[in-house]
Amino acid sequence: METDWSKVLEVFGSGIIGVFLVMFLLQILTQLSTRVIDAVENRGKSADVETDQSVVSAKD
Amino acid sequence: MFDIFKDLIFSSGFFSLTGGNMVMWLISFVLMYLAIKKQYEPLLLLPIAFGILIVNLPLTFLMEPEHGLIWFFYHYGIELDIIPPIIFLGLGAMIDFGPLIANPKTLLLGAGAQAGLYFTFFAAVLFGFDLQEAASIAIIGGADGPTTIYLTSKLAPHLLGATAVSAYAYMALVPIIQPPVMKLLTTEHERKIVMKKLRPVSKLQRICFPIVTAMTIMLVVPPAAPLISMLMLGNLFKESEVVERLTKASSNELMNIVTIFLGLSVGATMTAGTFLNPKVLFIFFLGLFAFIVSTSAGLIVAKVMNLFLKDKINPLIGAAGVSAVPMAARCVHKVGSEANRRNYLLMYAMGPNVAGVIGTVVAAAILLKNLG
């Protein structure tokens, strides 16, 4: 059977590029989501600290 | 009396035995020896070896379509795509994606190792395999048994036994195959690189990762859905910490049960008629080539990344981009600690290692999309 070389090159090229693109996209989204979560969690923590400080000063 | 005895003799399997059957018994005994004595991937090699033995006993008709016992396991488990996704469910419930979330750049290393897979695809076509067969052989380089089985059962089911045994055999041989490649492609100085400490990962980040990954990959490459959805569901079970029973069931009982059926079914595809031809033996050679090229590609991508990174990574961790979890990461750690005894690379290598699992699924899905 004759090999369809244009198909081979298509699979080869689209495969390599496709895997890198998908993984790169996943990298960006993972970085983005972790940063957003970090920001939200840090904000939550600083809000808790502020609340604690206001409770302490109210007691004083 | 004599007639009954004669009938018993002539209806036995002895008179239907072929030389090919006996060669397959020999292969089965070798695999049993490797599984039991050497403990090379025994959980799968042992049922595979037994499957090979019993399917090569004549007149048992265990793989007879619509009748044979193992044919039902094979048909419902593999042909209908049930078993590989269930294995992925269990795998997800066991994998810790923490090192990957702490250092998402390692996702590119998981992609790098898959590049080797496409070079093998090209090589297999050059050696005369058709495109579907070449893709099934190439996926061996991903070092991921269930994905190899999943893809081969769809593209070239006649090669299932050979590609599966080849994938599991080379996964077991990671500590022998990878170190020479690692040493050849890295300098002593590079192997000594100590990496920056990984950032802590919060529980919420761990919970969000499987959801983000499942949505992203399934939206971009829909054919990856069966495997990636189960992998991420298992991981969500684990990270949510609210369904301990489901996590345990996925990673222990369910996974162990399907492993028995998977091994037996794969072994049973290896009849003398399908297995004993030069093409199949060549698959083992190309499988080794795939594994070496994938390891090399991971290392090279890590070296290229170092050209652009401020905090250098140890290029050895690129070799863990093949998804033999956690053996490839352990191997990286061992080679790294030989160069620098204070260098503890295991956690850093786990990032690309688990990225390799995702990368192999993506690569398989792209092959399926193009050739299925």
Side-chain angles (χ1 to χ4, degrees), chain A residues 7 12 14 29 34 38 41, chain B residues 118 199 202 205 216 355 370:
Chain A
K7 183 74 180 169
F12 181 76
S14 69
L29 290 173
T34 50
D38 272 343
E41 286 180 335
Chain B
Y118 285 93
R199 63 190 280 280
S202 72
Q205 286 166 343
T216 309
N370 284 324

Side-chain angles (χ1 to χ4, degrees), chain B residues 124-189:
Chain B
V125 173
L126 279 178
F127 281 111
F129 288 92
D130 69 34
L131 302 193
Q132 281 76 12
E133 290 174 339
S136 304
I137 295 165
I139 201 75
I140 297 170
D144 185 332
T147 309
T148 304
I149 291 165
Y150 181 77
L151 188 73
T152 310
S153 68
K154 287 192 170 300
L155 296 182
H158 56 289
L159 299 183
L160 186 63
T163 54
V165 170
S166 177
Y168 283 109
Y170 292 132
M171 277 160 66
L173 294 173
V174 161
I176 296 165
I177 299 169
Q178 283 201 321
V181 183
M182 291 178 192
K183 287 176 185 168
L184 191 72
L185 292 177
T186 54
T187 62
E188 178 85 13
H189 174 71

Side-chain angles (χ1 to χ4, degrees), chain A residues 3 5 7-12 14-16 18-20 22-27 29-31 34 37-38 41, chain B residues 101 104 107-108 111-112 118-119 121-122 125-126 131 199 202 204-205 208-209 213 216 220 355 359 366-367 370:
Chain A
T3 305
W5 286 104
K7 183 74 180 169
V8 173
L9 291 175
E10 185 195 319
V11 173
F12 181 76
S14 69
I16 291 184
V19 173
F20 270 100
V22 174
M23 297 300 263
F24 183 66
L25 179 66
L26 193 57
Q27 181 199 329
L29 290 173
T30 305
Q31 276 172 332
T34 50
I37 293 167
D38 272 343
E41 286 180 335
Chain B
I101 303 168
L107 276 160
L108 290 182
Y118 285 93
F119 284 105
F121 168 76
F122 202 76
V125 173
L126 279 178
L131 302 193
R199 63 190 280 280
S202 72
L204 185 58
Q205 286 166 343
C208 285
F209 180 78
T213 305
T216 309
V220 181
I366 294 175
L367 285 169
N370 284 324

Side-chain angles (χ1 to χ4, degrees), chain B residues 76-112:
Chain B
Y76 290 107
I78 296 177
E79 278 189 332
L80 297 183
D81 298 336
I82 307 286
I83 291 178
I86 292 178
I87 298 243
F88 261 64
L89 177 74
L91 205 59
M94 289 195 282
I95 284 182
D96 177 11
F97 283 107
L100 176 63
I101 303 168
N103 189 6
K105 284 191 287 284
T106 53
L107 276 160
L108 290 182
L109 297 175

